[in-house]
Amino acid sequence: MIPSRLFSARPQAVLEGVGCWTLAARMVPGPSRRLLLRTSPRLLSVSCADCSKHQEPPRKQPLSEKKLKRHFVDHRRVLVRGGRGGNGVSCFHSEPRKEFGGPDGGDGGNGGHVILRVDQHVKSLSSVLSRYQGFDGEDGGRKNCFGRNGSILYIRVPVGTLVKEGNEVLADLSRPGDEFIAAVGGSGGKGNRFFLANDNRAPTTCTPGQPGQERVLFLELKTVAHAGLVGFPNAGKSSLLRAISNARPAVASYPFTTLNPHVGIVHYEDHQQIAVADIPGIIRGAHQNRGLGLAFLRHIERCPFLLFLVDLSVPEPWTQLDDLKYELEQYDEGLSKRPYAVVANKIDLPQARAQLPQLQARLGQEAIALSVATGENLEELLLRLKELHDHHVATELEHGRQPLRW
């Protein structure tokens, strides 16, 4: 029996916050005496410096999808390259008791295409990268095995994307599900089986795969909506969109609060949906690229009818409509002649209500006077919006075109 007093247990710190129990001493039997040996704490402890040597260096965390789409992007330069075709193979059939098996080298697979596809869930070009490379085709194999074709690479783009190469417009992707082949994959090479002929029974020729098509494309987004809200800065466009739809653009008491187009959906009782686009504020000289300028004037091009928002609280509000029409006409001829409705905002202010009769007389037509702050007369605007939409649908069907549906 070994006396129990020769053993003692005590906690020893190995790492910070971790305790480890070790034997402080042990008995070593010998021929004439018993020797008491102490264990070295260094054999049982691990230093933090040794642990740090095995730690992996910190890696840069990839950006999440939410952060990638934080900023609205309506133009992008993209380099697309189709996949390379697989190489053909030169080989001959080998089989017992068959001396002249003949060539059996298969062809290489074709390279994959790069295709732009419209996706309704994508609202901006921010998720589109600056370079895309298609998938390569596989090489051919023995026994006349053909290589597998490269898979098709799809790039998701929003509705209303315009594809350009230089100054030439290649495609207008304005409908959900539209596709455009941005880069064609290369053809696969031919194996020596392909070159078998009566005068050449043992060809050794094979061809390599062809490189894919490479081109530089310019993607330009033009927001697709039924109605476009057009007005000067701080006229109340974003507040109006928040009042008639579930869209939540930023609202503040200073001009140029809205820096990106916002699309809100107005729902009616018959399950009809009308898309209204809030275009950032237009100022005098916008067609000369002043203010936000040309950056957002192009988003009005696809709107079949417009809503001109006039601020009644400023002196001579009727001049705003003339200035807005002039800027649209200078940017694109005929843009200001589309069907429209005039909306006079801030009728809840005393000075604004006093200018309403004079505005009606100057315009020569009835303006929809309302107050976004109090919700006064919003029903009249919704009814007028539905009339414009029904007229647009009837016109499109009359010309044999399918109207836009949300």
Side-chain angles (χ1 to χ4, degrees), residues 53-79:
K53 295 180 180 179
H54 302 285
Q55 292 180 354
E56 296 183 357
R59 297 179 179 178
K60 185 178 181 180
Q61 296 294 333
L63 293 177
S64 62
E65 189 77 10
K66 182 178 180 180
K67 291 183 178 180
L68 284 175
K69 298 183 179 180
R70 177 178 298 175
H71 303 287
F72 180 84
V73 178
D74 58 357
H75 60 278
R76 181 76 80 182
R77 178 185 180 274
V78 184
L79 172 64

Side-chain angles (χ1 to χ4, degrees), residues 79-105:
L79 172 64
V80 290
R81 185 184 296 113
R84 185 182 183 86
N87 299 325
V89 175
S90 176
C91 59
F92 292 85
H93 184 71
S94 177
E95 187 180 347
R97 297 179 297 277
K98 193 171 183 180
E99 184 177 0
F100 302 103
D104 66 348

Side-chain angles (χ1 to χ4, degrees), residues 191-375:
N192 62 339
R193 173 72 181 183
F194 177 81
F195 298 96
L196 179 63
N198 291 331
D199 56 348
N200 187 7
R201 305 305 300 174
T204 59
T205 305
C206 62
T207 59
Q210 299 298 319
Q213 183 183 14
E214 180 178 344
R215 63 204 309 188
V216 178
L217 301 178
F218 296 91
L219 306 183
E220 181 179 312
L221 174 60
K222 296 182 179 180
T223 302
V224 177
H226 295 114
L229 273 174
V230 184
F232 281 95
N234 212 23
K237 300 183 298 299
S238 299
S239 301
L240 180 59
L241 188 64
R242 292 170 67 100
I244 63 178
S245 68
N246 292 329
R248 290 295 177 264
V251 174
S253 59
Y254 54 86
F256 293 109
T257 307
T258 302
L259 298 178
N260 303 319
H262 295 272
V263 178
I265 307 298
V266 182
H267 299 269
Y268 290 89
E269 294 181 354
D270 55 352
H271 303 286
Q272 192 176 25
Q273 297 179 349
I274 300 179
V276 181
D278 174 20
I279 308 300
I282 299 176
I283 64 173
R284 295 178 179 86
H287 69 279
Q288 299 175 352
N289 208 19
R290 293 180 182 177
L292 297 178
L294 303 177
F296 296 107
L297 275 175
R298 61 171 170 266
H299 293 284
I300 312 176
E301 294 182 26
R302 298 185 184 273
C303 299
F305 50 92
L306 306 174
L307 296 177
F308 288 102
L309 194 60
V310 178
D311 187 0
L312 278 178
S313 63
V314 300
E316 299 182 354
W318 50 86
T319 60
Q320 299 181 28
L321 182 61
D322 298 334
D323 293 337
L324 291 174
K325 285 186 175 181
Y326 175 77
E327 294 299 330
L328 296 183
E329 193 67 23
Q330 292 297 318
Y331 173 74
D332 186 9
E333 186 177 356
L335 188 59
S336 63
K337 296 180 175 59
R338 296 183 181 181
Y340 68 90
V342 181
V343 182
N345 189 22
K346 304 181 182 180
I347 194 64
D348 55 311
L349 301 178
Q351 66 273 20
R353 190 175 295 272
Q355 296 189 88
L356 181 59
Q358 193 174 3
L359 174 66
Q360 302 278 15
R362 293 273 187 170
L363 296 181
Q365 62 179 6
E366 184 178 357
I368 304 174
L370 54 83
S371 173
V372 178
T374 62

